[in-house]
Amino acid sequence: MARAAKALTTLRNHWKKTTFGVCLLSWGGHWLYGKHCDNLLRRAACQEAQAFGNQLIPSSMPLKKATVFLNPAACKGKARNLFEKNAAPILHLSGLDVTVVKTDYEGQAKKLLELMENTDLIIIAGGDGTVQEVITGLLRRADEAVFSKIPIGFIPLGKTCTLSHTLYPESTNQVQHITNATLAILKGETVPLDVLQIKGAKEQPVFAVTGLRWGSYRDAGVKVSKYWYLGPLKTKAAHFFSTFKEWPQKRQAALMYLGPTERPPEEPEEKPSRPPLYVRLYRRLRLYWSSPPKEIPQDVTPEDWEELKLSTIELSIATRNRQLDLTRTEDFMDICIEADTVSKGQFVSRGSQKMRDPHTCPEGSQYIQASRCILQLPEGTEGSFGIDNEEYEAMPVEVKLLPRKLRFFCDPRMREQMLHAAVQ
């Protein structure tokens, strides 16, 4: 009893040290509990992956090849550790023949895709920049018609992972988010995503799954990280200080566009069986000896281009992948031309919204649905485009929608939600 009273007296006399010790123990206990929960999530995911690996396959059937493009620099250099701890064990336990390709510098993934041999799966481990590089390299290939049919998995490891909102359920736990994305690849459910082909006058085309941004909100958003010392006020500070430049910050351009196109029926995934050899020989001989068919002239409908001059604080051209509708009957991209009559206060407040959803179209903006557009910039225009959150020099470009060009693995729950929402 006397010892307990003496201990309490000591704690009371040194209350500052006592308070610090309690806080330290509480934080340490919470950290250890979080680590324990993460290990339980990894164990459960590995057990689920093991079930896929234990499935029997015929001896004549080769293992499926999966090529992983990993950007170790993503997430401030933490991507490699995140992949090896949370995703790699799941992939290896599933029975896939996994090849991991690590990129060393920006743009390397595009070059590696040109040399890639046949594979059954492509897996992108990184953020928006890695996705943009991989699909650009894939669709620049001479045989892109074949390689674009390879299903693609996305493991979100980067600072910005826009596609994860479409493909996977929201999760505040990073380990759970990564393991869910990796398991979705094993489950095999896919959804078709639109792609934008963006081509300048001289450059090779760049491809994007999210969209293109050009304007003041994008320019201010790039500088947010410079104000890290302001904590939660850094976003507002970046937009506030950008108003000290010339105001209003208008972008002048000319836009030509074509309206939406009717969606053709989806091609069946199963290929028809190959006919016997004698049937193929007979067809080739008949084609060789037959006279060439006469070409019947067809009436070509002229393309109905619309043209307008625009003055805007920001222009965005985005796919519909964020609000994916699997049953829609038309294919189009969203063009948002924001009004240039924005006060400085509105600019700062909307800037925070733009950081959360960059392609949101505020009230009072001009909204256009198009399948193809040409953006002409005045000579001497400076600045940059943001294409899937990657910076490119601003120049006149043609943007073309490639509907349902690529198939990405998604969580079966998300696919079911999309179909359910379409029925309603």
Side-chain angles (χ1 to χ4, degrees), residues 127-423:
D128 286 350
T130 315
V131 173
Q132 195 262 331
E133 280 194 27
V134 170
I135 66 167
T136 294
L138 182 69
L139 296 178
R140 281 181 181 175
R141 292 178 62 110
D143 54 355
E144 62 86 15
V146 175
F147 271 76
S148 63
K149 290 181 169 47
I150 298 174
I152 301 173
F154 175 49
I155 301 176
L157 302 178
K159 183 180 178 182
T160 54
C161 301
T162 309
L163 268 186
S164 64
H165 301 291
T166 300
L167 303 176
Y168 313 119
E170 296 289 341
S171 176
T172 55
N173 186 299
Q174 188 180 35
V175 172
Q176 186 175 32
H177 200 50
I178 295 171
T179 54
N180 283 344
T182 311
L183 287 171
I185 296 170
L186 308 182
K187 293 173 183 175
E189 291 283 351
T190 61
V191 289
L193 296 186
D194 298 340
V195 176
L196 296 183
Q197 176 184 287
I198 304 166
K199 192 175 188 311
K202 300 178 182 178
E203 302 292 330
Q204 282 188 296
V206 173
F207 297 88
V209 291
T210 304
L212 176 150
R213 292 176 68 200
W214 176 52
S216 301
Y217 291 112
R218 192 215 75 87
D219 293 345
V222 171
K223 298 175 182 177
V224 167
S225 59
K226 293 182 179 180
Y227 300 96
W228 58 269
Y229 50 86
L230 294 177
L233 298 176
K234 61 185 177 182
T235 300
K236 291 189 179 295
H239 289 82
F240 174 71
F241 289 123
S242 69
T243 62
F244 290 174
K245 299 178 181 179
E246 180 186 354
W247 189 265
Q249 300 173 10
K250 298 181 181 180
R251 303 291 194 279
Q252 309 286 339
L255 183 71
M256 296 174 61
Y257 64 93
L258 293 172
T261 58
E262 187 176 349
R263 167 168 284 192
E266 191 168 0
E267 297 179 1
E269 293 186 13
E270 295 184 2
K271 296 181 179 179
S273 58
R274 196 178 186 189
L277 177 61
Y278 69 89
V279 174
R280 300 200 303 273
L281 288 173
Y282 169 73
R283 288 177 180 174
R284 289 187 181 182
L285 289 172
R286 186 179 64 178
L287 183 64
Y288 178 78
W289 291 109
S290 62
S291 58
K294 296 180 180 179
E295 293 186 1
I296 302 173
Q298 297 180 352
D299 295 332
V300 178
T301 306
E303 294 178 321
D304 189 15
W305 287 91
E306 300 282 345
E307 185 174 358
L308 60 88
K309 302 288 184 182
L310 59 91
S311 175
T312 178
I313 194 167
E314 179 152 298
L315 169 74
S316 68
I317 304 171
T319 63
R320 300 286 298 175
N321 293 335
R322 188 71 186 266
Q323 302 88 22
L324 201 59
D325 183 359
L326 301 178
T327 61
R328 71 174 190 262
T329 57
E330 288 186 327
D331 289 315
F332 56 87
M333 53 190 175
D334 296 331
I335 302 177
C336 179
I337 305 170
E338 298 190 33
D340 58 3
T341 55
V342 178
S343 68
K344 293 185 178 182
Q346 288 175 323
F347 179 77
V348 173
S349 63
R350 283 183 184 174
S352 301
Q353 299 173 9
K354 286 281 188 177
M355 291 299 292
R356 291 190 295 270
D357 187 2
H359 291 280
T360 185
C361 198
E363 189 176 348
S365 306
Q366 185 176 359
Y367 172 71
I368 299 171
Q369 294 179 344
S371 58
R372 185 178 169 192
C373 72
I374 298 174
L375 181 64
Q376 294 287 350
L377 306 185
E379 191 173 348
T381 299
E382 298 179 352
S384 302
F385 291 147
I387 301 177
D388 279 7
N389 294 316
E390 291 294 297
E391 192 168 295
Y392 288 83
E393 180 186 354
M395 64 178 71
V397 291
E398 178 184 358
V399 184
K400 183 180 179 182
L401 179 71
L402 306 178
R404 299 185 294 178
K405 184 65 177 175
L406 300 173
R407 298 195 71 90
F408 274 74
F409 289 103
C410 75
D411 192 288
R413 292 169 290 179
M414 295 298 290
R415 181 179 172 83
E416 188 176 344
Q417 285 180 18
M418 295 174 198
L419 294 172
H420 184 67
V423 170

Side-chain angles (χ1 to χ4, degrees), residues 31-95:
W31 182 81
L32 288 173
Y33 178 72
K35 289 292 182 182
H36 173 67
C37 291
D38 289 345
N39 287 331
L40 292 178
L41 289 170
R42 294 187 187 103
R43 182 184 300 174
C46 287
Q47 289 173 348
E48 192 171 347
Q50 185 71 57
F52 288 96
N54 289 337
Q55 292 177 359
L56 298 177
I57 60 172
S59 58
S60 58
M61 182 183 294
L63 292 176
K64 281 190 176 182
K65 294 182 180 179
T67 305
V68 181
F69 290 90
L70 170 64
N71 179 11
C75 196
K76 298 181 180 179
K78 300 176 184 176
R80 178 177 178 177
N81 186 49
L82 288 171
F83 175 78
E84 291 178 349
K85 290 185 70 174
N86 304 302
I90 297 173
L91 294 175
H92 289 295
L93 285 170
S94 67

Side-chain angles (χ1 to χ4, degrees), residues 8-22:
L8 289 173
T9 303
T10 304
L11 292 174
R12 186 176 60 186
N13 293 338
H14 300 85
W15 62 272
K16 291 181 181 179
K17 294 179 180 178
T18 302
T19 304
F20 177 76
V22 170

